[in-house]
Amino acid sequence: MSKAKELNKKLSYKRKNFWKGATQKESDKATNFSEGYKEFLNIAKTERESIDFFAKELKNRRFSDIDSGKKSKKIFRLSRNKNGAIALLGKKPISEGVNLIVSHIDSPRVDLKQNPLYEDSKINLGLMRTHYYGGIKKFQWVSTPLALHGVFIKKNGEKVKVSIGENEDDPVFVIPDLLPHLARKKQYSKKIGDAINAGKLNLLFNSIPFIDEKDEKIKHAVKLNALVLLNEKYGILEEDFLSAELQLVPAGKARDAGMDRSMVLGYGQDDRICAYTSAQAIFDTKNNDKTAIVYLADKEEIGSDGNTGAKSIFIIDFIADLLKYNKEKSDSATLRKTLINSQILSADVNAGINPNYHEVHEAENAVHIGFGVSVTKFTGAGGKGGSNDANAEFNSKIISIFEKENVNWQIGALGKVDEGGGGTIAKFMAEHGAEVIDCGPGVLGMHSLYELTSKADIYSAYKAYNTFFEKA
Ligand code: MN
Ligand code: MN
């Protein structure tokens, strides 16, 4: 090797392509890992369904509910069917700090309004009014098969779960788009973000009117028929919609993508990819010195507000209860110190470089798909506005552990400076004084109906999170 080559190798940073560097065994592991992940994506398309999934998993793996009083090292708490925390007690006292990984289990989608059902009497169609949730590109949600998920709570308190459109023989729904022939004024003359107004996102629900031979002049017979069908299937009345939570998501399953099957295409990978990988990581954690916690948060896509979002007191309360559970002091000073002593990975997806839009990324600082999990010092917009901006000392510690344990990692910022921006849960967790850094895989087409990830990065995220729990 020439001197220059040698020095270059020794002195320069070069991110590593996972597939190029991995042994056959490691590549196979990455490929196999994504099988369970795809199943999870298919079962858990909403935050409620994610919590249902983890509730089953926790039961199978013999974790104990912290409130059950049972003594165990493996504990959890699920809250309001929408968020939760999983903990694995370590050898050291909790007050010396925990290692926590936070991700979110909500994804951008289109919700039904509280009073959704109406009839377009002129053309005899039953429709549902919608109100979108999170940062969607509205034009992606028209002319595509949608499934309806959610819950009704009936007057007697009974909860009825809804899922229509996921099984092969289920019907699906659609928000009809305008044909190009007639879109000149309504759409083509507008900016792309304004081309489809939120008021035009009404869902086509049904089209056969209720027939009553004795009454030929029924008002809104199509709407009536929709109510009849819903009552037959779920036992609900129209007023049960008023309190319901009903969400439209892309119908269908996550699939392998690419001729080499190296990628996964599916809805809701932001951020269920981190929820799944961090949960698998804690399930496989052995001999952890510090207590490991996986925190599954809701409502990140609308600002982490609400009592199931990361800004709520849930996780602080859980850690306080963990102290008590472990027979440690749990007064507010001890709790504060515990949080300040803690280390947190804010596990959320990052923008992978889109081959069609290189110009919004800065290649040397952006995430390359297939090059492993990314470590992101800061997010935010403009001059790092609204960002956690992790400390160099903590940043270096995490990177060193990943290097030592052969985790395929890379640095990754969201986009070019002043190109736009976005935030994660990191800053809300940092408010409690812990060390926090963003760490998660890259995604192409984030917030679209079909997000794309690399199996290399899914597996690398899992490995990174497991390493963090065992070594950090
Ligand atoms: Mn996210
Ligand atoms: Mn998001």
Side-chain angles (χ1 to χ4, degrees):
M1 199 185 286
S2 75
K3 184 88 182 160
K5 247 190 191 159
E6 197 180 299
L7 284 171
N8 226 342
K9 203 176 168 209
K10 188 176 154 195
L11 300 176
S12 311
Y13 167 66
K14 210 168 167 254
R15 77 185 77 219
K16 299 179 195 90
N17 180 288
F18 175 90
W19 305 111
K20 233 166 135 182
T23 58
Q24 188 59 47
K25 205 178 146 199
E26 198 78 345
S27 290
D28 291 346
K29 268 192 188 173
T31 307
N32 293 334
F33 186 86
S34 71
E35 292 304 311
Y37 171 58
K38 281 183 288 178
E39 266 172 51
F40 166 66
L41 288 179
N42 296 338
I43 297 169
K45 287 198 166 180
T46 66
E47 58 277 10
R48 283 178 185 272
E49 290 170 353
S50 301
I51 289 300
D52 287 350
F53 173 90
F54 287 117
K56 263 190 212 146
E57 238 351 49
L58 289 164
K59 197 174 169 217
N60 291 343
R61 293 171 186 273
R62 300 183 179 284
F63 275 69
S64 304
D65 190 321
I66 190 168
D67 302 309
S68 72
K70 266 189 223 153
K71 200 80 200 117
S72 170
K73 280 195 170 319
K74 296 152 60 173
I75 40 204
F76 71 91
R77 174 179 283 157
L78 304 178
S79 142
R80 305 184 200 276
N81 307 302
K82 289 183 178 179
N83 68 337
I86 309 168
L88 184 65
L89 295 181
K91 292 174 217 147
K92 289 185 176 170
I94 293 167
S95 54
E96 287 185 26
V98 301
N99 285 339
L100 183 149
I101 301 180
V102 56
S103 63
H104 65 93
I105 49 175
D106 63 318
S107 296
R109 58 178 191 247
V110 174
D111 289 344
L112 294 193
K113 279 190 176 174
Q114 289 324 115
N115 190 7
L117 187 60
Y118 73 99
E119 175 170 335
D120 186 330
S121 305
K122 271 190 196 154
I123 50 175
N124 277 204
L125 292 175
L127 295 125
M128 294 278 192
R129 304 179 189 97
T130 67
H131 191 143
Y132 65 97
Y133 172 98
I136 63 163
K137 286 179 165 178
K138 294 183 206 87
F139 60 81
Q140 291 179 341
W141 289 77
V142 294
S143 292
T144 186
L146 298 170
L148 184 65
H149 292 238
V151 291
F152 286 104
I153 314 286
K154 297 206 297 199
K155 258 195 180 157
N156 62 6
E158 187 197 336
K159 186 185 292 183
V160 185
K161 289 186 187 177
V162 175
S163 173
I164 313 170
E166 300 295 355
N167 292 326
E168 286 285 296
D169 51 354
D170 273 0
V172 291
F173 303 97
V174 74
I175 298 169
D177 194 11
L178 190 56
L179 66 168
H181 316 65
L182 298 178
R184 193 149 52 111
K185 287 185 200 150
K186 283 282 159 204
Q187 294 181 335
Y188 291 154
S189 65
K190 292 181 180 161
K191 281 192 203 151
I192 192 164
D194 303 327
I196 292 177
N197 182 284
K200 303 280 187 201
L201 291 182
N202 296 312
L203 183 84
L204 191 48
F205 193 69
N206 69 318
S207 66
I208 301 179
F210 186 83
I211 311 284
D212 184 343
E213 278 156 17
K214 289 188 188 139
D215 183 356
E216 282 184 5
K217 285 185 193 150
I218 318 168
K219 238 183 152 192
H220 304 313
V222 180
K223 178 183 168 184
L224 178 62
N225 207 23
L227 288 172
V228 168
L229 291 172
L230 286 164
N231 185 264
E232 278 170 8
K233 192 162 165 67
Y234 299 109
I236 58 131
L237 313 173
E238 186 174 20
E239 65 190 55
D240 292 321
F241 272 105
L242 305 181
S243 59
E245 285 179 0
L246 296 160
Q247 315 174 343
L248 293 165
V249 298
K253 294 187 168 162
R255 308 183 65 160
D256 285 344
M259 192 64 197
D260 53 9
R261 297 181 168 266
S262 61
M263 297 166 281
V264 171
L265 187 77
Y267 166 72
Q269 301 199 64
D270 172 11
D271 182 32
R272 286 192 269 274
I273 190 171
C274 296
Y276 181 81
T277 48
S278 60
Q280 295 306 312
I282 201 170
F283 295 150
D284 292 344
T285 292
K286 287 176 193 79
N287 297 317
N288 50 317
D289 285 335
K290 289 185 186 160
T291 290
I293 301 178
V294 162
Y295 174 22
L296 307 162
D298 178 30
K299 293 195 163 56
E300 194 276 341
E301 297 296 355
I302 54 169
S304 295
D305 296 302
N307 63 9
T308 55
K311 284 187 200 164
S312 80
I313 200 155
F314 170 79
I315 194 65
I316 306 303
D317 181 61
F318 179 70
I319 294 171
D321 285 349
L322 268 188
L323 285 164
K324 251 185 264 169
Y325 186 88
N326 208 33
K327 306 237 160 16
E328 296 180 48
K329 280 202 275 180
S330 63
D331 57 285
S332 81
T334 309
L335 177 60
R336 285 202 308 272
K337 291 297 175 218
T338 303
L339 295 166
I340 290 171
N341 291 338
S342 292
Q343 308 180 103
I344 298 177
L345 294 187
S346 164
D348 205 344
V349 295
N350 203 325
I353 296 181
N354 186 317
N356 290 320
Y357 293 93
H358 272 276
E359 62 275 23
V360 304
H361 307 280
E362 195 264 282
E364 299 307 317
N365 281 285
V367 182
H368 300 213
I369 292 295
F371 283 68
V373 70
S374 98
V375 177
T376 301
K377 189 175 184 302
F378 55 86
T379 58
K384 304 193 181 181
S387 158
N388 158 62
D389 204 359
N391 296 314
E393 291 83 350
F394 184 55
N395 198 338
S396 157
K397 179 180 178 179
I398 295 302
I399 290 172
S400 305
I401 297 166
F402 288 174
E403 282 287 325
K404 206 168 150 218
E405 300 300 321
N406 286 318
V407 173
N408 223 114
W409 73 278
Q410 57 179 322
I411 54 156
L414 185 62
K416 258 188 195 165
V417 186
D418 287 344
E419 197 67 50
T424 63
I425 286 171
K427 62 176 177 177
F428 307 124
M429 303 311 288
E431 280 176 20
H432 305 296
E435 292 281 17
V436 188
I437 193 161
D438 280 292
C439 177
V443 173
L444 293 191
M446 198 195 293
H447 284 202
S448 72
L449 282 70
Y450 303 103
E451 299 176 316
L452 187 86
T453 57
S454 161
K455 291 181 180 177
D457 303 337
I458 300 164
Y459 176 68
S460 298
Y462 157 77
K463 209 170 150 187
Y465 301 154
N466 184 249
T467 299
F468 173 72
F469 284 143
E470 291 185 352
K471 309 283 178 185

